[in-house]
Amino acid sequence: MTEVPASSPARPAAGPPRRPRGRAVLWRHVGLALLAVAVVAVLLLAALYLNRRAAAREVLIGWLEERGIQADVEVEQIELDGFVGRVRIGDPSNPDVTVERVEVDYAVALPWSETGLGVTPSRIRLVRPVMRARWADGKLSLGSLDPLVEAFTGGPPRPDQRGPLVIVEGGRGRLDTEYGPIQLLADARIDDGKLMRLVARAPETRLKRGEVEARGLAARLDLTTTGDRIALKIEGGADSFAAPGARGEAARFSLTGDLPYPDLKTRRGDGRAVVDAHLAGAVLGAGETRMRDAEVAARFDGTTAGWIETFRLEGATRLALTAARMDGPGLEVGRTKAEAANGRLTVSRDEAVRWSLDTPLDLTAASAQAGQAKARGVSIRSSGLSIGGRDAAFEASGPVTAAFDQVGFGDLTLKQARSELSLDLVKDEAVRIAAEGWLRSTDGAWPLFGPEGSDDIAELAEMKRALGSFALNAPALRFATGSAGTSLSLTRPATLTPTNGGVLTVAEAGEGAYRAEAGRLGGGALTLNATRGRGLPEMSVAVPKWRLTEAGFEALLDGRARLDFDLARGIDARTRGLLAMADGRLTYVTPECVDLTVERLELDENDVHQIAGRLCPETGPLLTSKDGVWRVAAGFDQVSAQAPFLGMRFADASGRVVVDGTKGGIGLTATVADARVVDATTPRRFETLAASGRPRPCQVETAGPSLVGQAGP
């Protein structure tokens, strides 16, 4: 047997072939690598768990501190996928934000993930957070959070990063403004940086600064986002509020809207907008105009573009207004209702808010008064008004059809009046209204001589009927009222047609038919021409000046009239003087003698014919009339007359006469200072005589006229 050297290896026994040695080494390395990764992951998870408080702090406030925002967190409970704690942001002694309870759900990313090692929050629940903010000079400040707000709004979000779901429960805030603090209570839900739900309210508070003040101010907001649309509802009110351009008492406001979700990054709010707003108050006012028990409703359906500082709205509108009473400078309106439907509104803002509205209008008012103009049962309609403004000032113009149950000016009253006008209304510091067109009325009244009485003299009764019932046609007039005053112009003559006959034509003269400064009574200048009817005398009178007074009116007259009056037939008078009405007492005063002729005095068989002469003023009025009792007291001069029943005529008579008109008849007292008596018979009975004396007072009964008199020596 041969021996094998010790240094020689033993040959293996025969069997299956062995695998290559390199594969074993590879698997050994892979196993070691996997083991190393597992060990590292375990170590990392263990480190993360062991340092979970530091991780939680990094999740909540680490990135705040990176932006210079001072913050602190107290961790109460922590797990691998979430924690619970408390947060304070800002100065520890006076923090801008405190959160009583913060619940955060997050996911841990390992080193080999695309984002690398880190923690990403997926849900954040804030319970009873408290925040302080400030609004000053038109800007909102959140204190130490301002850099964060700027970062969120300064650029678009990362497309590969989704924001967490943020839930706010029982939030409270304090907004400090230049007018005082406002407390806010809110619940909210924000998903991926988008406000999905917000319910907020501001409890009652008082704000004041300078002329701006609000008492009992409160509001509530409810917002829900669905897709790219917002459903918004706001309700609020104030016991009272006042500002240079507006005021109100017991005011309530509501607004509902279907709006585009605003893009906070690009600062745009483009899209379709539907808004319904309602404002009501015991008192609502703009400028010096106030409405009582008023309600204003508005609807807008259109598009929006831009942002708060620069925006544009355009769309269809419907506006409605009701008010128990409206008061303004020289304007009073009762029980008003207005509606403007199917309008088109455009609003834009740059350095000012500008707006325009084209709309039909339907307005009714139980009563209205502007200066000396008064109306009841007002109905105003327009097929298309153009309204535009800048900030609180505006102007409206367009065609208007107006109807009035009754409209009046001073003592002039028109019933069932109709008018077509071109309207121009301006509202800035005050309200100014101008209208031009025509006016007609089927039943007018101007009680110049008082109410009609059953025992009036026939001609006086007919004259009162003429002025108590007539048709008016003013084919061209211009009316204006406002803070500067009230004016009425007749660009073409107006006519009054009494039901008992005749036509009175009225034309303006001088500076216009009527003008009045604001808060004062006015007047004007007219010319009057009348054709005779049963009530109207034939006359042509210039009224160079007339004015309203606290008790009635005054009018300067210069003209001529022809009329019959009771016993006197064919009166023809030419005169200049002052006609005045004061507390129902009508007087006529003239500085000159009245040229007068009378065809005859009807005294049955004692008629007097062809009377001519002058009535001259004394110390008092020539004519006085009140409550159906009237008196003419004057001197007479150069009087001539014929008395056929005496076969005489009188010439160059002078003296004094008083004529009293009462319900019982007419009384005449005359004193003849001088007269010539001429025999009117053939052959003559006597030569011309000089006469003077005082006839016995005579009484003329309206039931059966007779004259009894006796000449003195």
Side-chain angles (χ1 to χ4, degrees):
M1 175 176 229
T2 304
E3 294 183 356
V4 177
S7 58
S8 300
R11 180 175 294 178
R18 294 182 178 179
R19 295 179 179 178
R21 189 167 181 268
R23 289 186 178 183
V25 173
L26 176 62
W27 281 108
R28 185 181 301 118
H29 288 173
V30 170
L32 290 174
L34 290 175
L35 178 60
V37 169
V39 170
V40 170
V42 170
L43 290 176
L44 288 174
L45 292 174
L48 183 62
Y49 180 76
L50 293 174
N51 294 279
R52 58 192 182 277
R53 295 182 180 274
R57 188 179 188 280
E58 181 66 23
V59 169
L60 277 183
I61 63 174
W63 55 280
L64 293 176
E65 293 181 341
E66 290 176 2
R67 290 162 176 79
I69 301 174
Q70 187 178 4
D72 193 16
V73 63
E74 297 179 11
V75 178
E76 298 179 0
Q77 178 182 343
I78 189 167
E79 303 294 340
L80 284 176
D81 58 354
F83 66 86
V84 177
R86 296 166 56 91
V87 172
R88 184 191 68 244
I89 300 174
D91 185 351
S93 62
N94 189 23
D96 296 315
V97 179
T98 60
V99 186
E100 182 178 315
R101 179 181 176 87
V102 180
E103 299 177 3
V104 181
D105 296 338
Y106 54 79
V108 178
L110 296 177
W112 51 83
S113 65
E114 293 183 1
T115 59
L117 179 65
V119 179
T120 302
S122 59
R123 184 185 75 94
I124 300 175
R125 179 175 177 238
L126 308 177
V127 181
R128 291 181 291 279
V130 179
M131 176 180 290
R132 292 190 304 110
R134 179 173 178 78
W135 178 273
D137 299 326
K139 294 182 179 180
L140 178 66
S141 173
L142 301 181
S144 59
L145 289 179
D146 285 345
L148 177 63
V149 174
E150 184 177 353
F152 268 103
T153 59
R158 291 176 52 184
D160 59 342
Q161 187 176 27
R162 189 185 190 282
L165 171 65
V166 179
I167 301 171
V168 178
E169 297 179 3
R172 293 187 295 122
R174 175 188 169 102
L175 178 63
D176 292 318
T177 73
E178 299 162 317
Y179 306 92
I182 300 176
Q183 301 296 326
L184 301 171
L185 306 175
D187 295 303
R189 182 183 180 91
I190 303 169
D191 192 4
D192 193 18
K194 191 172 186 179
L195 180 61
M196 305 302 294
R197 188 82 172 95
L198 173 63
V199 177
R201 67 183 182 91
E204 286 192 5
T205 188
R206 178 189 177 186
L207 303 176
K208 180 174 175 56
R209 184 191 183 197
E211 298 180 7
V212 178
E213 181 178 11
R215 296 175 179 269
L217 179 65
R220 180 179 178 85
L221 181 147
D222 192 309
L223 180 150
T224 302
T225 300
T226 305
D228 61 352
R229 305 293 297 174
I230 291 178
L232 177 67
K233 184 175 182 180
I234 302 175
E235 296 177 335
D239 294 339
S240 65
F241 66 89
R247 66 179 57 250
E249 296 177 11
R252 296 294 178 265
F253 172 79
S254 67
L255 181 146
T256 59
D258 178 13
L259 308 169
Y261 192 92
D263 189 333
L264 300 179
K265 305 299 181 181
T266 62
R267 298 175 68 83
R268 302 282 298 184
D270 302 351
R272 180 170 180 257
V274 180
V275 178
D276 285 281
H278 182 265
L279 175 64
V283 175
L284 296 177
E288 296 184 42
T289 303
R290 298 197 308 173
M291 299 183 295
R292 299 184 182 277
D293 296 330
E295 293 188 22
V296 181
R299 177 178 175 82
F300 173 82
D301 188 345
T303 59
T304 67
W307 197 244
I308 298 174
E309 295 85 357
T310 56
F311 66 86
R312 181 180 177 85
L313 308 177
E314 186 172 1
T317 61
R318 178 184 179 276
L319 304 173
L321 178 148
T322 61
R325 181 180 176 87
M326 183 186 301
D327 298 292
L331 179 67
E332 295 180 6
V333 183
R335 291 204 309 274
T336 304
K337 180 179 181 181
E339 183 175 9
N342 301 318
R344 192 72 185 175
L345 175 68
T346 301
V347 182
S348 62
R349 177 180 178 180
D350 37 43
E351 75 280 1
V353 177
R354 310 171 194 273
W355 58 277
S356 64
L357 174 64
D358 295 312
T359 181
L361 174 68
D362 189 349
L363 181 149
T364 61
S367 62
Q369 179 173 352
Q372 290 297 308
K374 301 178 182 180
R376 290 191 304 175
V378 181
S379 176
I380 298 176
R381 290 180 171 82
S382 176
S383 58
L385 283 178
S386 294
I387 311 172
R390 174 189 172 102
D391 293 333
F394 69 89
E395 181 175 2
S397 61
V400 170
T401 299
F404 308 89
D405 291 344
Q406 181 174 306
V407 61
F409 188 83
D411 290 332
L412 174 64
T413 301
L414 304 175
K415 298 179 181 178
Q416 301 305 313
R418 299 291 182 270
S419 180
E420 287 188 4
L421 303 168
S422 176
L423 176 69
D424 187 23
L425 185 152
V426 178
K427 193 264 176 213
D428 37 38
E429 292 83 5
V431 177
R432 301 186 297 279
I433 303 173
E436 185 172 0
W438 58 262
L439 172 66
R440 299 190 185 100
S441 170
T442 59
D443 186 8
W446 189 17
L448 183 62
F449 301 113
E452 185 179 348
S454 59
D455 46 9
D456 283 337
I457 296 170
E459 285 78 13
L460 180 59
E462 289 291 348
M463 190 175 295
K464 290 182 177 180
R465 292 190 190 104
L467 295 178
S469 179
F470 55 80
L472 170 70
N473 180 21
L477 57 82
R478 184 183 298 115
F479 173 79
T481 188
S483 58
T486 301
S487 65
L488 175 66
S489 299
L490 300 174
T491 53
R492 290 171 57 190
T495 58
L496 283 74
T497 307
T499 56
N500 58 355
V503 177
L504 174 65
T505 302
V506 182
E508 70 174 30
E511 296 183 356
Y514 178 79
R515 291 182 182 275
E517 297 180 4
R520 302 182 65 180
L521 299 173
L526 301 167
T527 61
L528 307 175
N529 290 278
T531 61
R532 185 176 296 190
R534 290 201 308 271
L536 290 179
E538 181 182 351
M539 69 176 182
S540 179
V541 178
V543 186
K545 184 177 181 180
W546 75 274
R547 69 183 186 94
L548 296 173
T549 65
E550 294 292 343
F553 71 88
E554 293 179 351
L556 289 175
L557 306 182
D558 184 1
R560 182 177 184 179
R562 298 180 179 89
L563 71 156
D564 297 328
F565 194 79
D566 200 52
L567 305 178
R569 304 287 99 182
I571 301 173
D572 190 336
R574 179 72 173 85
T575 184
R576 290 182 66 250
L578 178 66
L579 183 69
M581 175 75 79
D583 297 324
R585 181 173 180 262
L586 183 69
T587 60
Y588 180 67
V589 177
T590 175
E592 302 174 352
C593 294
V594 177
D595 293 327
L596 178 69
T597 62
V598 180
E599 291 182 4
R600 70 183 184 278
L601 287 177
E602 293 185 342
L603 304 172
D604 292 335
E605 67 275 8
N606 299 325
D607 288 356
V608 179
H609 295 258
Q610 298 179 5
I611 303 168
R614 301 191 307 170
L615 290 178
C616 298
E618 296 182 319
T619 56
L622 180 67
L623 169 68
T624 303
S625 175
K626 184 175 183 180
D627 299 331
V629 177
W630 57 274
R631 164 174 281 203
V632 174
F636 59 87
D637 185 24
Q638 302 177 13
V639 173
S640 62
Q642 294 185 9
F645 71 97
L646 295 175
M648 298 178 184
R649 60 186 178 89
F650 303 91
D652 299 327
S654 61
R656 185 176 187 274
V657 65
V658 177
V659 183
D660 290 298
T662 65
K663 297 178 180 179
I666 295 177
L668 183 149
T669 302
T671 300
V672 179
D674 189 20
R676 288 190 301 118
V677 181
V678 180
D679 185 5
T681 64
T682 303
R684 288 185 180 181
R685 294 170 293 172
F686 54 87
E687 295 296 327
T688 301
L689 301 176
S692 64
R694 180 176 181 179
R696 191 178 68 190
C698 63
Q699 182 72 22
V700 181
E701 302 291 345
T702 57
S706 63
L707 178 61
V708 180
Q710 180 177 352

